[in-house]
Amino acid sequence: MSQRHAVVAGAGIGGLTAALALHRRGWRVTVCERASGPSAAGAGIVLAPNALRAFDGIGFDAGRAAGRAVPAAMGVRHRGGRWLSRADTAALEARYGRPPLAVSRPALAAGLAAGLPAAAIRYGAAVTGVDGPDGSPLVRTTAGELRADLVVAADGIHSTLRRRCFPDHPGLRYSGETAWRTVLPAREVPAEAREAGRPSLPAAAETWGRGERFGLVPLGDGGLYLYATAVVPEGYRPADVRAELVRRFGTWHDPIPALLARIDPAAVLQHDLYDLAAPLPRFHHGRIAWLGDAAHAMTPNLGQGGCQAVEDAVVLAHLLDDAADGADGVGIPDALAAYSAARCARTDAIRVRARRAGRMVAQAHPLAAAARDLAVRAVPARVRLRALDDLFDGFTLPDVPVPA
């Protein structure tokens, strides 16, 4: 039997995880990425226990690749500084077997890419279409054409392949919020926050205001991932990013003002927040499989977007392990149907839950925001932890289909 060939559209976390998982199962993989090279900019990502457990399934150590420092706690604060909720990392580790891990996205991507053959990733090669998805797919890219046994559509929230194969789907829904993201390298972190890169100090926190949020997450390399959101019209872009952030967050609790003073406006990314307006009917079409934002774009309110992409990739590779053409076993289309069956319900439930959480957090009216804060403070810690069980303990590898 000839070596199976998978073409992966997109070199994000989900696409690279899928490529690595398939490569380790004997597939030849080609990753086509529209960007001209690896991105050094960006942000952080919190790998929840479910994503770390999925990585275990393909033998990938995210901590070794991108750093192991763990915040002492994670929680939500009022803009004045008081805690509304807080979960100690030790409690999370005791309940779920490991604590969440906050890492740099570029470092994680580099770690995944390092496990692939040198020529596996083709930059400057955006996938524009797939001909013959039900037979022997011909993948069209801006750098040429490729034959494949499988196409993995990991081409992001604005997925070209999703639009082409599901033309009647309503597409994306604007959440009402925009987000700014940046990373402060360790050498630029103010003295009052520099200890955040060490396992014992201090907490990762999201601070809530009225229609605004500010997040601070210590990363494994000693830097800080910062993000902020605001309820604004779609497409809103301030002329002066620093002035905008200072205007919105400059009077909030320490160390937020000091952090704002040190950001590089040129290194701040801004993206409006979207999710899918409705679920896809399935995550496959012929020999194309969708994963991550291309399959189930969700708002970041639960911190599960990237984690679910990792789960998708590992489940997909698991179900494809023995699938091949011309064999007596399960064929690739059958394996992809099993993938849809395994992933659609879980990811859509999380997408809807993230949307509802976003509506609650984004309250802008003073009375509504005050009621929200009181409600969050009133929830006992054990109840808050139990509410995470289906997220953090929900990853499982499904049974591989049995040949007919």
Side-chain angles (χ1 to χ4, degrees):
M1 182 178 68
S2 61
Q3 188 179 30
R4 300 163 296 178
H5 181 211
V7 173
V8 180
I13 301 304
L16 290 172
T17 302
L20 182 60
L22 289 167
H23 168 66
R24 291 184 171 179
R25 284 169 169 79
W27 287 68
R28 179 168 66 92
V29 295
T30 303
V31 181
C32 297
E33 167 57 43
R34 66 169 58 90
S36 59
S39 175
I45 180 173
V46 177
L47 297 172
N50 54 300
L52 296 172
R53 192 171 296 114
F55 275 139
D56 287 345
I58 61 170
F60 178 74
D61 187 337
R64 182 176 182 181
R68 297 187 185 279
V70 176
M74 304 177 71
V76 176
R77 301 177 76 172
H78 180 271
R79 62 181 180 175
R82 72 177 182 273
W83 288 97
L84 302 177
S85 70
R86 178 184 171 111
D88 290 340
T89 298
L92 292 170
E93 186 170 8
R95 190 173 186 90
Y96 302 112
R98 67 197 72 199
L101 192 65
V103 301
S104 158
R105 278 184 181 265
L108 179 61
L112 291 165
L116 296 172
I121 304 178
R122 301 186 182 183
Y123 292 103
V127 172
T128 58
V130 177
D131 296 333
D134 295 310
S136 178
L138 177 66
V139 183
R140 291 182 280 108
T141 83
T142 53
E145 298 178 342
L146 295 164
R147 282 287 178 190
D149 299 293
L150 167 73
V151 180
V152 179
D155 51 344
I157 192 169
H158 300 289
S159 172
T160 297
L161 294 180
R162 183 185 66 227
R163 293 196 302 269
R164 287 182 177 273
C165 294
F166 297 100
D168 297 328
H169 188 272
L172 300 174
R173 178 201 69 103
Y174 178 51
S175 70
E177 291 183 280
T178 197
W180 296 272
R181 299 177 296 155
T182 194
V183 172
L184 285 182
R187 66 181 182 276
E188 296 180 9
V189 175
E192 61 268 37
R194 188 174 295 129
E195 298 292 335
R198 300 179 185 173
S200 59
L201 294 166
E206 182 172 282
T207 300
W208 293 353
R210 297 194 291 267
E212 298 170 331
R213 287 179 280 171
F214 191 96
L216 182 159
V217 181
L219 300 177
D221 61 1
L224 287 179
Y225 166 40
L226 309 180
Y227 64 89
T229 72
V231 175
V232 296
E234 184 176 11
Y236 174 78
R237 295 294 183 272
D240 187 329
V241 172
R242 186 196 300 277
E244 177 79 3
L245 295 176
V246 169
R247 178 179 69 82
R248 291 181 178 275
F249 306 104
T251 60
W252 288 24
H253 67 80
D254 290 333
I256 292 174
L259 296 174
L260 292 176
R262 294 169 184 253
I263 64 170
D264 175 6
V268 176
L269 305 176
Q270 182 180 355
H271 296 97
D272 291 343
L273 300 181
Y274 298 89
D275 64 1
L276 281 192
L280 290 181
R282 60 192 180 279
F283 288 174
H284 74 287
H285 174 70
R287 291 169 177 264
I288 306 174
W290 281 263
L291 61 76
D293 282 345
H296 46 69
M298 59 185 69
T299 54
N301 302 296
L302 300 178
Q304 280 288 313
C307 295
Q308 290 305 304
V310 171
E311 285 192 17
D312 290 341
V314 173
V315 169
L316 177 64
H318 167 73
L319 291 170
L320 285 163
D321 199 8
D322 293 323
D325 298 318
D328 293 332
V330 174
I332 291 172
D334 296 321
L336 297 189
Y339 166 69
S340 280
R343 296 301 298 161
C344 284
R346 173 165 167 78
T347 55
D348 193 57
I350 295 173
R351 178 187 67 87
V352 172
R353 182 172 168 182
R355 176 183 292 186
R356 291 172 178 167
R359 289 172 178 165
M360 182 269 291
V361 172
Q363 295 290 340
H365 190 281
L367 292 179
R372 172 203 65 195
D373 294 352
L374 285 172
V376 170
R377 292 184 69 188
V379 177
R382 65 182 184 280
V383 175
R384 288 196 297 267
L385 272 180
R386 194 160 58 237
L388 298 173
D389 286 354
D390 61 334
L391 297 179
F392 291 178
D393 271 343
F395 171 74
T396 58
L397 287 175
D399 293 334
V400 175
V402 177

